[in-house]
Every structure is written in C-alpha cells, then in structure tokens.
Amino acid sequence: MNMINTKQFVDYLLGNGLEFFAGVPDSLLKNLCACVQDVCDSKHNITAANEGNAVGLACGYHLATGKYGVVYMQNSGIGNVVNPLVSLADEEVYKIPMLLLVGWRGEPGVPDEPQHKKQGKITWELFETMGIKTILLEDDYEHIIRDAVEYMTRHGKPVALIVRKSTFSEYQYSKESVEYSMTRERALEVIVNHVNGDDILVSTTGKTSRELFELRERQGMGHANDFLTVGSMGHTSSIALGVSLFSDRRVYCIDGDGSFLMHMGACAVNANAMGDNFRYIIINNGAHESVGGQPTVGFHVRMQEILKDCGFERVYTAREEEEVEEGMRYLATHTKSAMVVCVRQGSRENLGRPTLSPQENKRRLMENLLK
C-alpha cells in the first residue's frame, strides 16, 4: 500500500460534504489530526474529552445539518463509543450516520505495546458485533469514501474506516506554544525526590509512565512502588483511589490533563470517597503530547477551582520547580490536598518504554503492598 497524501485526503473528505470533525487524537492519525487542525476552524474540529463525547457531537451535527460528521479515534477508544453507537446512533434507535476513522493499534503481526495487543485482535469483531460496516482504508481511498457516503445515505448507519500504521504522509503544523520553565520529566523528578520510600505512585498512560520508569531506573530505585497505567486512559485516578482505600500507604496519583478531562466525573467521586492517604497531582501541558501534541482545553479551564469544588480542600498550582517542591511538602502532611503542575510540551527523543511487562509491574507492586 502506498502512503496517502494527508492534505489531499482531508480535502477529499471536505469535497464530499464531510466537513465536521470530532474525536480524540491517536498516534496513527496524528498527521490527519494535524491537517484537520490547520484547515478547519474551531467550530468544525473539536478535540473531545473522550470518544463517546465525539459520537454525541457528530449526532448533534447531523440533527442540525443533515450532514455526516467524522469521528477520529484510536481503537482503544471503541469502549467509549459502544454506548452512544448502539443506544443512540443505531438504526433501531435514532438511525444517525457518521464516518468513524479508527487507528488500528495492535494490528496482528505488527509489533506494538502490550496494552494494544488484545484491542488490535478484536477491533474488527467489535464493529461487526455492533452491526457497523467496517472497511480498511487504502490508498485508492476515493471510491472508499464515495461508497461510504452512499452507504450512509442509503442506510442511515455509521461506517468505520480502519487505519493502519503509516497510512498517512507526514504533515507539519504549528503546535500551540505555552512557555513554562519545566518539562514534564523535570516535574516528575522533583515529585519523586519528595516522596518517601513507602509512598505508592500511580501514573497515567503515555509518556508520563515512560518517564517515571526511566527516572526510577536512573536513580536505581526499583519499581515496586509504582503502578504504570500503560493503557486505559482516563482511569488512573480511579485505580489510585482503589489502592488507597485498602492500603495504609500514602498513594499519589500522577495524572495528565487529557486523562483528567476524559473522565472528569471521577474527580468528584474521588474527592468524596478518598481517605487521608490519597493525593492527586495533575501535570498539565495543555496537549495530547504522547500522540502528536494536539491541544486539549487544559489551559482553558480552571482545574484548581474544579478540584476544590469537587472536595479537595487545598490545591496548589506550580509553574516553577520551587513551587512543586513547596506543594509536595504540603501534600506530604495534609489530607484532601492536590496540585496542578503546569509544564511545557517536549520530551527526550531517546525516551524509552518500560522494560518490565505489565504483569511483572503488577506482581512487584502487589508483593510490596501485601508484605
């Protein structure tokens, strides 16, 4: 298969009346998302909190215009779209068509990370179970798009296009730039330097967990105190809460802005169910950096006030290393406390991935907790 020219593909979608985009960025779709970001205004391209929200947006767009929205996502997001696809858009309910562009992580036979393997195996089966026509996107995409539009028009049903690795050509765009002094990795280093040997860290998916793993490696600290949430974006804080409720250890959840926003309702539950040993930290770079750097609304919402309204009594805001240090000293001794750390985008080009398997990570943590 030849690589698809990203700009020409987006132009072809627009030329066929597919003018509204919503979704959660994916590494396999980063060039597509970058191009859509460039050519569409903010009304016609919305980075949703989660993939189910994106389906809802596409439904609303169809109700208002009669046209078909485009929902982009990684296949890990299928779990978030099952409910609105089968209980809202389905032909036996409201019969709302839309075009789904789905990055195929974990494709069988293609090397990938462990958290993607199962999802890759069952991607096609999930859509088929939902009764959604599923097509592999190939370089002769013109007839595929025309046929998809004709199918949506005739049947009033969604169509899913599955996107393999390296399908789209490179597309450069200007990322939003917010100048903070710290990188996420430096903020993590300060945080780790201010926890004690018994504290447990539960870190969010993507580069945060990768950086935490390498930081522990460099410092020779081992990994028995960490749970690296390599998948399941948006659920890190719930995992951390579950650990904290049944352990006497102090548990720090290190979340990201994209993860926090994806299932923000968990924050309200966490704040009202947490005990004295739960601490919450959000590292906010205003972007989905691990999958291409597309912006979130992280710098446009008042996270501190949200956390306070949910039930955290004191929320630190840190933009400099000294402020992170001060916040960590406070969190160490005060319950119902949280911190939002603002950082700039950017990570080392040689950033690796955890060399421990997820099962080994779990085993070491559980042995530590249960000893």
Side-chain angles (χ1 to χ4, degrees), residues 249-263:
R249 305 284 192 89
R250 191 163 51 205
V251 178
Y252 287 87
C253 175
I254 305 176
D255 216 346
D257 52 298
S259 175
F260 167 74
L261 293 164
M262 179 166 278
H263 294 296

Side-chain angles (χ1 to χ4, degrees), residues 81-208:
V81 301
V82 169
N83 177 265
L85 284 177
V86 301
S87 66
L88 176 66
D90 190 80
E91 61 183 322
E92 295 185 37
V93 192
Y94 287 105
K95 199 173 183 180
I96 298 177
M98 66 192 68
L99 185 67
L100 309 172
L101 288 173
V102 184
W104 194 6
R105 295 298 303 269
E107 177 186 353
V110 178
D112 211 328
E113 300 306 308
Q115 68 268 27
H116 297 299
K117 290 181 179 179
K118 183 69 172 186
Q119 188 71 59
K121 291 177 183 178
I122 63 175
T123 291
W124 290 75
E125 181 182 350
L126 289 171
F127 282 118
E128 289 166 1
T129 299
M130 289 187 283
I132 293 175
K133 184 178 180 66
T134 310
I135 306 166
L136 181 67
L137 182 63
E138 299 183 288
D139 51 7
D140 56 342
Y141 59 82
E142 291 91 347
H143 81 86
I144 294 174
I145 299 302
R146 289 196 304 270
D147 289 350
V149 171
E150 192 275 333
Y151 179 89
M152 289 188 290
T153 301
R154 186 170 70 252
H155 296 284
K157 298 175 62 175
V159 174
L161 300 185
I162 307 300
V163 181
R164 305 178 72 182
K165 185 178 181 180
S166 301
T167 292
F168 291 109
S169 66
E170 190 74 18
Y171 185 92
Q172 297 293 334
Y173 82 114
S174 299
K175 299 177 183 178
E176 289 187 4
S177 178
V178 179
E179 293 302 322
Y180 290 109
S181 63
M182 285 184 297
T183 62
R184 178 186 49 252
E185 188 167 21
R186 179 54 188 157
L188 281 170
E189 187 170 9
V190 176
I191 290 167
V192 168
N193 288 342
H194 283 78
V195 298
N196 66 40
D198 290 328
D199 293 338
I200 302 300
L201 303 184
V202 180
S203 56
T204 190
T205 188
K207 291 184 178 180
T208 302

Side-chain angles (χ1 to χ4, degrees), residues 37-51:
Q37 181 82 15
D38 260 0
V39 302
C40 295
D41 60 30
S42 59
K43 183 177 178 179
H44 289 84
N45 176 41
I46 297 178
T47 302
N50 62 63
E51 296 84 357

Side-chain angles (χ1 to χ4, degrees), residues 194 322 324-334:
H194 283 78
E322 296 79 7
V324 179
E325 292 173 350
E326 179 184 348
M328 288 301 295
R329 286 192 292 268
Y330 186 90
L331 264 61
T333 56
H334 291 75

Side-chain angles (χ1 to χ4, degrees), residues 265-279:
C267 181
V269 174
N270 296 343
N272 284 274
M274 65 183 175
D276 292 342
N277 61 336
F278 181 82
R279 305 290 189 275

